Amino acid sequence: MAPSSRRLATEVTLPVPESGDPVVVELGPGTGAFTGLIQELLGGRGHHLAVEINPRLASSLAERFPRVQVLNDEAAALPRLLAERGLGAADAVISGLPWASLDLTTQRTTLDSVRRSLAPQGAFTTFGYVHATYLSSARRFRRMLGSSFEEVVPGRTVWGNLPPAFVYHARRPRPRLAPATLELLVAQVGARAAASTGMRF
């Protein structure tokens, strides 16, 4: 694995607003492959929060990017982290989390936190590796995206990244659903995807 490429970073950071004072959240920034570009796009505007669970990486990021509020915490704590800072909803959430390697509970609680933290017109972007597309955990995450957002658009494959990756663009977070309703919606999303692609999701 190598740090995410500039091309992938460009695709992932597309929802960063071009004007105003937006709240932009970065989940799992790691070594900062997306952080620098987000800072460039903001140009000193708004608020940029980076939530990193690894204390060593969080410390390094805080030193390299003094204008970023680096928070050493888990991504699922996002609603609380925003509330503690009086920031309300996020205009954009950009994720570098390895969703395909997360267990069911972590996927569900983290994605639910993202959904609850976004403004109604906010956008969520994340990426996956092409070679992991057929993993059951990756297919499960794709179903969860469809049940959490009204619009989910996969971007083009970034072949120049190592390994090749693609981006999910998600908008219009759905209202909070009861667990039984959510499970039914996840199943329906998987069935529609399977019917249109011939793949089992």
Side-chain angles (χ1 to χ4, degrees):
M1 295 290 187
S4 297
S5 66
R6 177 80 178 194
R7 172 68 185 280
L8 180 59
T10 299
E11 292 292 324
V12 169
T13 57
L14 281 175
V16 175
E18 297 180 353
S19 61
D21 293 301
V23 175
V24 177
V25 175
E26 189 179 2
L27 301 178
T31 58
F34 304 151
T35 311
L37 182 53
I38 294 172
Q39 281 289 285
E40 289 180 29
L41 294 170
L42 287 175
R45 299 176 293 115
H47 302 271
H48 179 182
L49 276 64
V51 184
E52 173 54 56
I53 198 169
N54 184 305
R56 184 170 54 84
L57 291 176
S59 177
S60 175
L61 284 169
E63 184 176 342
R64 291 172 55 203
F65 301 102
R67 295 186 63 90
V68 180
Q69 296 183 55
V70 181
L71 310 175
N72 181 208
D73 212 322
E74 61 180 3
L78 182 55
R80 171 178 59 81
L81 297 174
L82 288 170
E84 288 175 350
R85 288 155 183 79
L87 292 177
D91 297 290
V93 175
I94 294 164
S95 172
L97 297 173
W99 294 98
S101 67
L102 302 180
D103 60 55
L104 171 61
T105 300
T106 304
Q107 282 185 341
R108 179 176 291 158
T109 56
T110 304
L111 190 57
D112 184 60
S113 293
V114 170
R115 182 191 57 75
R116 290 189 290 121
S117 299
L118 273 174
Q121 300 304 315
F124 170 58
T125 55
T126 188
F127 71 96
Y129 294 118
V130 173
H131 72 272
T133 304
Y134 294 94
L135 293 177
S136 60
S137 56
R139 300 199 304 269
R140 181 179 66 214
F141 175 66
R142 174 63 184 86
R143 294 195 300 271
M144 287 183 181
L145 274 178
S147 65
S148 299
F149 296 88
E150 294 181 7
E151 177 185 332
V152 180
V153 180
R156 293 181 179 179
T157 299
V158 181
W159 294 107
N161 197 72
L162 184 63
F166 62 95
V167 178
Y168 285 121
H169 301 275
R171 293 184 178 276
R172 298 197 299 278
R174 297 182 188 273
R176 187 174 180 84
L177 300 173
T181 305
L182 179 60
E183 291 298 330
L184 177 60
L185 186 55
V186 169
Q188 290 173 342
V189 169
R192 288 198 300 270
S196 63
T197 64
M199 291 172 50
R200 288 190 61 194
F201 279 79

